[in-house]
Amino acid sequence: MLSVDQLQQFRAEEAAHLGLCWDALRQLGADPTAVTPLADTNAVASIGLMQVIADPRMTIAQSLHAIHVAELTDNDGWRLLIKLAREMGQDEMAGRLQTALEEEERHLASLRTWMEQISLDGAGA
């Protein structure tokens, strides 16, 4: 079931993924602080998820649902980044991105297990 240690590990991995993205952008000569139209769109879209997670009226199940939406988006994003890196001949970068995707897939699998367990526990109540 859900553990603080596992959540802390996932948080550390997410922070490392951010660093990986920053490094990849710098390697390609881009500015990782630039807010592109797509980045702006994604930021606006994620505000609703953060509002659900931060709202004290929400249950753990409702917050996990919001995180689930974010993790699904994350996984798809990593897949796209890997394809783009390969298309650009950045095979080493694609390998680092693949490692991040594997961690994200583990996050998603754990989240699905937690959501299922909470649902099953609530079904008998």
Side-chain angles (χ1 to χ4, degrees):
M1 191 57 187
L2 188 63
S3 77
V4 172
D5 289 341
Q6 197 170 24
L7 289 173
Q8 289 175 336
Q9 178 185 355
F10 289 176
R11 181 184 66 198
E13 289 170 353
E14 294 291 350
H17 296 168
L18 177 61
L20 175 62
C21 288
W22 277 59
D23 291 346
L25 287 167
R26 283 191 194 111
Q27 181 180 335
L28 296 171
D31 176 5
T33 65
V35 180
T36 64
L38 183 56
D40 191 43
T41 299
N42 287 331
V44 171
S46 68
I47 288 171
L49 298 174
M50 289 306 300
Q51 287 175 332
V52 170
I53 295 166
D55 189 326
R57 298 171 297 170
M58 295 296 131
T59 64
I60 295 293
Q62 291 164 328
S63 294
L64 286 176
H65 174 70
I67 295 168
H68 183 230
V69 170
E71 286 293 342
L72 289 169
T73 302
D74 252 7
N75 274 256
D76 285 349
W78 286 107
R79 283 183 179 79
L80 178 58
L81 289 173
I82 292 164
K83 285 182 184 179
L84 290 169
R86 287 189 178 131
E87 286 291 318
M88 296 172 66
Q90 298 287 331
D91 294 332
E92 185 178 319
M93 182 186 297
R96 291 190 304 270
L97 297 170
Q98 180 65 43
T99 299
L101 173 60
E102 290 165 8
E103 291 172 349
E104 289 295 340
E105 288 173 336
R106 188 170 35 81
H107 298 178
L108 185 56
S110 295
L111 182 61
R112 286 177 171 149
T113 299
W114 299 333
M115 290 176 63
E116 180 179 287
Q117 189 61 51
I118 287 171
S119 296
L120 292 173
D121 289 348

